[in-house]
Amino acid sequence: MARATRLGHEINWQEIGQGERPALAIHCTLGAASLWGPVLDPLADVLTTTVFDQPGHGHSGPWEAAGAEPGAYQRLVTQLAAGFITRPVDLIGHSFGASVALRIAVGAPEAVRSLTLIEPVLFKSVEGSAEWRDLRASQDNFEAMIDGGDYETAAKGFMRDWGAGVPWEALPEHQRARFCAQMPMVRNISSANFEDPGQIWRADGIEGIDAPVMLIHGDQSPPIVAKVCAAIAERLADVGTACIPGGGHMLPVTHAPQVTDLLAMNLERS
């Protein structure tokens, strides 16, 4: 593992594998770089993948949500991720990390050799749909709880909808406490999924991606995710989509072998 100050934040990162192809993997909200091991270890002979803990996650330093403008966290993580790219990479993202990966691919398509998006949460792409309206109402309630200081109820709901299926009461006490403390950060992150401050969904943006793209979701995920995948796929020229049976939102944790196989398929296309 390595640790250094990047953009004013103490960032922890490491490399997985020793393959000839450079890759970068970006984890989900409340996740950590270590979650990528089961997915990437089987590809160690093909890829050398940089994985990093986002600010406020894993072993990286904290991020202060108080006073941050909407979308500040997504912009920061995008800049941090881009700083690890020195030549075209196989870019991989999960959930919020997939939104960051897509933002990089739209902004600098020449930096991406292939793009694999797992459970992307760019809700702006389906704004106005029935699924979006349902989730927007839930988001309004989520934000109100955080603004009112009810972090535990907000954390319980977030982990119920977007976690790996582990009951709240079964989580270690220190983990529950950390999740609760992270809720103001999660508010900033999740609001960007609706508002798209980086204008990922702008006209002609996604169409500029010329790398092969793989979109992956689970059939047990919140219904909006499949709709997001379909909306993104419609705007891409070279795209594959896959639905993993029995999978929820945390596919890299719960269905790592299937994710690895799909990732490998996408690598073969570039």
Side-chain angles (χ1 to χ4, degrees):
M1 291 186 181
R3 185 179 177 92
T5 301
R6 289 174 172 251
L7 300 179
H9 296 269
E10 288 295 314
I11 301 299
N12 180 81
W13 78 92
Q14 66 184 95
E15 290 184 346
I16 299 175
Q18 57 283 330
E20 293 184 358
R21 295 175 64 143
L24 176 66
I26 310 169
H27 68 72
C28 64
T29 298
L30 301 187
S34 59
L35 297 182
W36 286 114
V39 171
L40 296 171
D41 284 341
L43 300 173
D45 292 339
V46 178
L47 299 176
T48 296
T49 307
T50 299
V51 296
F52 69 99
D53 291 325
Q54 298 168 25
H57 294 76
H59 297 289
S60 287
W63 183 75
E64 181 54 61
E69 72 273 20
Y73 192 88
Q74 188 190 88
R75 182 177 67 250
L76 171 62
V77 175
T78 301
Q79 292 169 337
L80 288 167
F84 286 104
I85 300 175
T86 58
R87 56 189 173 119
V89 298
D90 294 297
L91 189 56
I92 308 154
H94 171 223
S95 190
F96 167 73
S99 296
V100 172
L102 191 57
R103 183 168 174 172
I104 291 171
V106 168
E110 70 280 359
V112 181
R113 180 172 177 175
S114 72
L115 180 63
T116 301
L117 305 175
I118 307 159
E119 292 274 314
V121 289
L122 183 64
F123 303 138
K124 181 71 173 181
S125 65
V126 294
E127 186 173 19
S129 67
E131 292 85 353
W132 181 91
R133 291 194 299 271
D134 289 344
L135 191 60
R136 182 66 256 184
S138 177
Q139 176 72 10
D140 290 341
N141 186 48
F142 177 70
E143 293 179 1
M145 284 188 289
I146 294 172
D147 293 345
D150 189 0
Y151 295 168
E152 182 172 0
T153 303
K156 284 182 180 179
F158 185 86
M159 296 307 296
R160 179 192 66 237
D161 295 339
W162 302 101
V166 179
W168 178 258
E169 294 74 17
L171 294 170
E173 184 176 353
H174 74 274
Q175 196 169 48
R176 297 198 303 267
R178 180 168 184 173
F179 287 159
C180 290
Q182 289 172 315
M183 284 300 103
M185 177 181 68
V186 175
R187 188 196 192 290
N188 192 279
I189 295 170
S190 60
S191 64
N193 297 327
F194 288 90
E195 298 163 13
D196 189 23
Q199 298 184 0
I200 302 167
W201 199 244
R202 65 182 181 267
D204 299 325
I206 289 177
E207 287 80 359
I209 299 172
D210 58 5
V213 181
M214 175 69 76
L215 290 152
I216 305 169
H217 67 93
D219 68 355
Q220 301 301 308
S221 298
I224 196 169
V225 178
K227 198 158 185 88
V228 168
C229 287
I232 295 171
E234 285 180 3
R235 295 182 59 180
L236 290 164
D238 187 0
V239 60
T241 60
C243 178
I244 296 180
H249 186 62
M250 292 299 293
L251 292 174
V253 174
T254 62
H255 291 70
Q258 294 93 324
V259 173
T260 299
D261 289 346
L262 292 165
L263 172 56
M265 289 174 58
N266 202 36
L267 297 177
E268 291 174 358
R269 299 165 58 215
S270 62

